[in-house]
Amino acid sequence: MQALHLSCSAALRRLVNGKRPKQRAIAALCALALAAPLAAAELRTVAERSGYQQTGRYAEVVELCAAYQKAYPQAVRCIEFGRTPEGRPMLALIASRSGALTPAQARARHLPVLLMQGGIHSGEIDGKDAGFLALREVLDGKAAKGALERQVLVFVPVFNIDGHERFGRWNRPNQRGPEAMGWRTTAQNLNLNRDYAKADAPEMQAMLRLVNDWDPLAYIDFHVTDGAKFEHDIAVMVEPVRAGDAELRTAGRMLRDAVIKDLAEQGSLPLPFYPAFDVEDDPASGFSDGVSPPRFSNGYFLTRNRFGMLVETHSWKDYPTRVRITRNTMVSLLDQMARHGAQWLSVAQAADRRASALAGKPVPLSYEASNKAHEIAFRGYAYTRTQSEVSGALMTRYDDSQPQIWKVPLRDEVLPALTVNAPLAGYIVPAAHAATVGQKLSQHAITWQIVRQARAGSAVQTFRAETVKYDGASFEGRQPLTVQGRWQSEQRDIHEGDLFVPIAQPKSRLLMALLEPQAPDSLLAWGWFNTAFERKEYMEAYVAEDVAREQLAADPALAKAFNDKLASDPAFAKDPAARLDFFARRHASWDERLNLYPVMRVDKAL
């Protein structure tokens, strides 16, 4: 059939070019042949045909997306859900044998939706090639039989498409195969797996539209690790397991453990944590588990009361091995979703209702592993650590011909690092920021409303930063910062055109992750409000000298406080600007909005 398609294509080209008019009859027969269902050979990737030594370019994804829809017209749709900055179509394959191939049909049938994504880092491209293989096998009934009758699969072969087309042989020097691959970041040099919360990249905004349309119960993100050499071939991390809704954590653990069990039964050595050493390049330092912040895929979806799974095959396994293991993971996920998806969907929807009632309750916003550790037997290789004559540092060299059990510590007691009580009613975003913040909230399907009537002297909570620390360098195109401070009650005006963002909504955890100023991936932390912490007006030194003398003469308590600070703080005493600033801050000209976070909290709905 493949040869026939190639011959027919050549005949049709000759006809279009005006050559050999007698080819018309042949072309007519070819048209019938080309309209016939495609054989499995036409659905094989470059990777499969090369024995998984190579991977195809993005043009292959475009062709296969259409070819799968043509081969399985009742079960597959090829959709475009966005365009990249370089103008390439962002494609997804929708697959189900339930009759539901649109979001509305999936909702009407109460079907769980499973979204699998490859190539967010396009050098780590296992998910693309494994996904096409697994999808064909499932559609043909050779794997996960009957699974597509009880769910909808949304398969995005490549997320970072422009990066995929920055093709090169040495884009992943720490990885075995394929022969050439794409690049880690987008054409705008953004790392999409740092972008879920802030959603700066056009690709991420398109992905969020897809997510909002389909509301996947589970979002699976396929990667390849960097790091050390060891025998373990895959790590599977799921949230909610240690964070998020309590009942959904139980379901998340069930999902993770079932997939790990399936993989182990097929000969893999799966891990439930990311295998990065606590001390870089030192195996003896062991590992720590944790909860990713919502800049990452698996940290983001727990804030939406959905499963986020990070799958990491090991970079030092060859490409055929990694694709096989990734394919096995995909089939396991389809099986598990077919068996338990309806039950888990009910749990997730109940979690939505519970999240809508978080007002006033403590909500963890970041996590860290405690110092409590226990020893594990980790399957590594023999290694040495010697002084390098090149770098001058200790260097680890592995001998992967000698498997070795490492007895190393694992710190897997994960505790909240920052917990904040949710506002009783919600947040107020001032009109000056309403357009940009409102657009960002809408991208995450967070609801808000415009304040139509001003309210003078309203009871609100404000956050004033006591310390502000900017990162020393740009990160993902922004200058992040961290602040220390606290919410306090006061009277402030609420203006017409402000936004009221209610806490009583299913995505309340995501809302807090974005608007609580000390949350690790808040809009503030990503630099959206940096100007609020920039001093814009100053008092000349000679004017400040007169102001200081007037204040000292008028207020003995202030004079005592100044002298006490001179005596107790040597750095202050030696800093003329700081000494004058002591008085400028107490003058009526001082900007009372400096270091005031523009977003407020309210206890009563507007």
Side-chain angles (χ1 to χ4, degrees):
M1 176 65 80
Q2 188 173 23
L4 175 59
H5 276 248
L6 291 172
S7 299
C8 287
S9 296
L12 287 170
R13 283 196 301 270
R14 288 194 295 271
L15 179 60
V16 170
N17 291 334
K19 298 177 181 178
R20 301 186 182 181
K22 67 180 180 180
Q23 295 288 333
R24 292 183 185 277
I26 298 174
L29 293 174
C30 283
L32 293 174
L34 290 169
L38 292 171
E42 277 79 32
L43 300 178
R44 294 194 306 155
T45 59
V46 167
E48 188 175 356
R49 295 198 303 272
S50 69
Y52 296 99
Q53 301 304 306
Q54 303 171 347
T55 191
R57 302 297 292 268
Y58 193 67
E60 176 187 52
V61 172
V62 176
E63 294 169 1
L64 285 174
C65 192
Y68 268 76
Q69 177 172 310
K70 182 177 180 181
Y72 306 99
Q74 303 303 314
V76 177
R77 292 290 179 272
C78 175
I79 67 166
E80 178 178 334
F81 63 93
R83 287 266 162 171
T84 71
E86 292 185 338
R88 296 182 176 91
M90 301 181 71
L91 300 180
L93 290 87
I94 314 300
S96 182
R97 292 201 180 278
S98 67
L101 292 171
T102 68
Q105 291 169 341
R107 284 191 292 272
R109 290 166 171 79
H110 306 289
L111 290 172
V113 175
L114 175 65
L115 193 153
M116 296 194 209
Q117 163 193 287
I120 188 171
H121 296 153
S122 285
E124 307 165 25
I125 202 60
D126 306 16
K128 176 191 69 173
D129 291 322
F132 278 119
L133 173 62
L135 179 57
R136 190 183 74 230
E137 291 180 339
V138 172
L139 288 166
D140 289 343
K142 296 178 180 178
K145 292 183 180 180
L148 287 178
E149 295 172 6
R150 297 187 291 279
Q151 67 189 297
V152 179
L153 171 65
V154 179
F155 172 46
V156 178
V158 182
F159 185 7
N160 175 19
I161 297 161
D162 291 343
H164 186 277
E165 292 307 281
R166 187 178 169 182
F167 220 64
R169 294 182 64 87
W170 293 104
N171 286 349
R172 291 279 293 166
N174 307 312
Q175 179 176 297
R176 287 178 176 162
E179 291 176 1
M181 69 289 288
W183 190 253
R184 182 178 183 82
T185 56
T186 70
Q188 297 174 331
N189 206 31
L190 291 171
N191 184 339
L192 291 175
N193 203 31
R194 305 295 183 271
D195 199 44
Y196 281 87
K198 64 185 178 67
D200 281 337
E203 295 96 330
M204 184 58 71
Q205 293 169 14
M207 178 59 76
L208 290 178
R209 289 193 297 270
L210 184 72
V211 165
N212 293 337
D213 285 346
W214 283 97
D215 188 20
L217 175 61
Y219 184 101
I220 319 300
D221 188 10
F222 291 96
H223 288 251
V224 182
T225 64
D226 290 315
K229 292 184 179 181
F230 42 75
E231 286 194 288
H232 296 279
D233 50 18
I234 188 169
V236 177
M237 289 71 66
V238 175
E239 289 297 340
V241 165
R242 301 186 181 278
D245 182 84
E247 291 188 30
L248 203 55
R249 293 186 198 186
T250 300
R253 189 173 295 107
M254 180 179 175
L255 170 61
R256 182 198 66 186
D257 293 349
V259 172
I260 285 177
K261 180 175 181 290
D262 286 347
L263 290 171
E265 289 175 351
Q266 295 174 86
S268 280
L269 296 171
L271 294 167
F273 59 88
Y274 191 91
F277 299 138
D278 281 354
V279 176
E280 186 176 357
D281 199 37
D282 183 2
S285 66
F287 308 96
S288 292
D289 206 350
V291 175
S292 297
R295 71 185 64 177
F296 299 97
S297 61
N298 56 326
Y300 175 77
F301 281 90
L302 76 87
T303 68
R304 296 180 68 121
N305 309 311
R306 300 296 183 265
F307 300 123
M309 177 184 283
L310 173 65
V311 179
E312 295 268 2
T313 53
H314 189 223
S315 60
W316 292 108
K317 301 298 183 285
D318 61 33
Y319 196 50
T321 299
R322 299 202 318 269
V323 171
R324 173 180 54 80
I325 297 167
T326 303
R327 174 265 178 205
N328 292 346
T329 307
M330 292 173 163
V331 171
S332 173
L333 283 161
L334 287 161
D335 268 333
Q336 298 303 326
M337 199 60 64
R339 294 175 190 171
H340 307 291
Q343 170 196 347
W344 292 338
L345 182 58
S346 295
V347 175
Q349 291 168 344
D352 286 345
R353 295 189 291 273
R354 288 188 290 272
S356 296
L358 280 180
K361 297 178 181 178
V363 177
L365 296 176
S366 66
Y367 295 80
E368 62 186 2
S370 75
N371 291 325
K372 184 179 179 180
H374 60 96
E375 188 177 78
I376 62 171
F378 190 87
R379 293 182 59 166
Y381 295 112
Y383 68 91
T384 59
R385 300 198 78 215
T386 57
Q387 203 77 23
S388 168
E389 68 279 8
V390 178
S391 67
L394 278 176
M395 177 184 173
T396 305
R397 292 177 173 85
Y398 299 94
D399 181 355
D400 55 12
S401 69
Q402 295 187 51
Q404 185 180 81
I405 299 297
W406 299 342
K407 297 296 182 70
V408 295
L410 172 63
R411 299 162 188 86
D412 58 358
E413 181 184 61
V414 179
L415 303 172
L418 172 67
T419 299
V420 176
N421 287 341
L424 291 177
Y427 297 90
I428 299 294
V429 178
H433 297 277
T436 53
V437 174
Q439 181 186 48
K440 188 57 56 181
L441 297 176
S442 294
Q443 288 169 354
H444 292 286
I446 292 172
T447 60
W448 47 266
Q449 61 195 55
I450 299 174
V451 175
R452 299 299 182 186
Q453 183 176 356
R455 293 166 171 81
S458 296
V460 301
Q461 291 179 333
T462 61
F463 183 97
R464 191 178 295 275
E466 297 164 0
T467 63
V468 179
K469 183 179 180 181
Y470 292 93
D471 281 12
S474 171
F475 179 58
E476 292 299 308
R478 292 186 171 272
Q479 186 181 22
L481 75 161
T482 55
V483 296
Q484 298 297 322
R486 59 187 177 88
W487 291 103
Q488 58 186 11
S489 297
E490 60 178 279
Q491 305 289 315
R492 290 269 172 176
D493 294 343
I494 296 175
H495 301 93
E496 181 180 356
D498 290 352
L499 301 185
F500 171 61
V501 191
I503 195 66
Q505 54 181 305
K507 297 178 180 64
S508 57
R509 285 186 177 85
L510 177 55
L511 170 60
M512 292 184 68
L514 294 173
L515 292 189
E516 280 298 323
Q518 293 178 290
D521 282 327
S522 68
L523 298 183
L524 181 150
W526 278 108
W528 278 59
F529 300 103
N530 281 8
T531 54
F533 310 102
E534 298 171 3
R535 187 174 174 182
K536 301 295 185 179
E537 190 59 83
Y538 296 86
M539 185 182 290
E540 295 288 352
Y542 68 89
V543 175
E545 290 277 358
D546 292 340
V547 166
R549 288 181 173 82
E550 290 173 2
Q551 292 180 358
L552 288 168
D555 189 343
L558 178 65
K560 182 179 184 305
F562 178 65
N563 289 322
D564 288 347
K565 191 167 180 63
L566 287 175
S568 63
D569 189 342
F572 174 77
K574 295 177 182 178
D575 188 340
R579 291 170 65 154
L580 291 177
D581 197 52
F582 178 91
F583 300 99
R585 289 174 178 273
R586 291 161 171 80
H587 192 262
S589 65
W590 183 257
D591 180 8
E592 71 88 20
R593 294 187 185 181
L594 179 63
N595 292 340
L596 183 68
Y597 177 42
V599 176
M600 302 183 294
R601 293 166 36 134
V602 290
D603 291 344
K604 294 182 179 180
L606 302 186

